[in-house]
Amino acid sequence: RIETCSGGGGRFDPGMLYFSPQIWASDNTDVFSRLAIQTGTSLVYPLSCIGSHITEVPNHQTHRLASLKARFLVALFGTFGL
């Protein structure tokens, strides 16, 4: 089983869903950024194909802190990976 990637975000390729059941919507893993990314993506694509994972804190990109509960709930809004 493979997972495809948007290649930097904003380029969710619907043709790739033929080959892979899920796509990583963005390289940005900050929980607060993911809210907007996943919400926008879900307007066009089903949640079952949006890759989302619980990430570490502080976030390695934004250095923001988020509770485990917040990260868990945002990851549930997609395919939920650890």
Side-chain angles (χ1 to χ4, degrees):
R1 182 171 182 155
I2 63 169
E3 174 183 85
T4 61
C5 181
S6 64
R11 293 182 295 275
F12 214 81
D13 185 352
M16 287 305 293
L17 288 174
Y18 178 81
F19 301 101
S20 171
Q22 74 184 44
I23 300 174
W24 189 249
S26 174
D27 293 331
N28 185 343
T29 60
D30 176 64
V31 68
F32 303 106
S33 299
R34 293 293 296 188
L35 286 172
I37 293 165
Q38 291 175 201
T39 299
T41 305
S42 72
L43 295 175
V44 180
Y45 299 97
L47 295 180
S48 62
C49 74
I50 302 171
S52 59
H53 301 270
I54 295 176
T55 58
E56 63 189 1
V57 291
N59 181 270
H60 71 283
Q61 295 159 316
T62 63
H63 305 288
R64 287 194 275 200
L65 301 173
S67 69
L68 178 59
K69 181 179 179 180
R71 293 178 289 135
F72 177 85
L73 291 174
V74 170
L76 280 177
F77 191 76
T79 58
F80 184 68
L82 299 174

